[in-house]
Amino acid sequence: MFQSIILLGILVIFTTNTPVASAHKVTTAADVGATLHLEPNDNPRAGEATKTWFALTRKGGKAIALAECNCQLVVYAEPHSPKEPPLLEPPLQPVAAERYQGIPGTEITFPRPGAYQLQLSGKPKDGRSFQPFELKFAVTVAAGSVSTELPVNVQNVNQNLENVTEGQTQGIPLWAIALSGLLAVGVFFGVLRMVKRR
């Protein structure tokens, strides 16, 4: 009986607590792959500078330094059409991060909360050490210190991002909290009913 109550309690805890995942995003194309890192904690916030770097590697795990690659990064607000110009084109610089030296990196200030796509493309400077590539990363930006004016070099290509509220981009949705509460109450009364029957 006591074990059943503990088991149900653990079940309630695991179903009501939604963990926040902060996994790095990995994308591959041909013989090149990259892991996207956004600082801090892969949780960019609108209006705040986000250190962004790509652990760019060729097949076999050998790192590709920015000095070996004609790389370009563009940022699109989602959704976007193929003919739209990029929202941002931040310049890449070599950075040292973790065990990587000279890999592509930059700082991005996302103008508004919402969905974005980062597109990293590149060709080898020597013409043969790896195949040309284009890697796409989906990024969700939380509300932060959003500026009311867009920077001069930013085009607002996605008008519907202006309607995103902080409640839509952060935390656990209200319906999930209510559902968890109802589940907890149901489990409590179920256990209480079992105890009364014995």
Side-chain angles (χ1 to χ4, degrees):
M1 175 63 170
F2 184 67
Q3 291 173 344
S4 297
I5 294 172
I6 290 176
L7 184 61
L8 285 174
I10 291 171
L11 179 65
V12 169
I13 289 171
F14 281 115
T15 58
T16 58
N17 287 335
T18 306
V20 176
S22 64
H24 298 301
K25 295 165 178 57
V26 179
T27 303
T28 59
D31 62 344
V32 174
T35 304
L36 170 64
H37 297 264
L38 300 164
E39 296 177 10
N41 303 322
D42 290 321
N43 292 314
R45 299 177 67 78
E48 300 173 12
T50 301
K51 289 183 182 178
T52 307
W53 50 276
F54 300 87
L56 193 58
T57 57
R58 63 180 61 108
K59 199 173 207 176
K62 187 171 188 267
I64 300 173
L66 185 59
E68 302 172 56
C69 180
N70 286 324
C71 292
Q72 179 185 14
L73 177 65
V74 293
V75 179
Y76 293 97
E78 288 290 285
H80 76 281
S81 70
K83 296 183 190 281
E84 285 181 16
L87 182 67
L88 301 168
E89 293 183 79
L92 292 170
Q93 299 178 8
V95 297
E98 294 181 3
R99 61 182 177 93
Y100 302 99
Q101 298 295 316
I103 58 173
T106 190
E107 277 197 358
I108 301 172
T109 302
F110 296 96
R112 306 223 186 293
Y116 292 85
Q117 181 186 81
L118 276 58
Q119 186 174 309
L120 179 68
S121 58
K123 298 178 182 175
K125 285 189 176 177
D126 66 6
R128 54 187 156 72
S129 58
F130 55 88
Q131 295 179 24
F133 63 88
E134 182 176 277
L135 304 170
K136 296 177 182 178
F137 301 87
V139 174
T140 302
V141 176
S145 57
V146 178
S147 63
T148 56
E149 296 179 20
L150 293 174
V152 175
N153 63 345
V154 174
Q155 300 173 12
N156 190 359
V157 297
N158 190 356
Q159 297 297 324
N160 64 3
L161 281 179
E162 293 177 2
N163 298 325
V164 175
T165 64
E166 185 172 337
Q168 292 172 311
T169 60
Q170 285 186 335
I172 300 171
L174 186 57
W175 64 266
I177 295 170
L179 185 62
S180 298
L182 286 173
L183 180 64
V185 169
V187 169
F188 173 75
F189 283 114
V191 170
L192 188 62
R193 193 175 208 183
M194 284 178 22
V195 170
K196 285 184 178 181
R197 284 186 185 169
R198 291 186 178 199

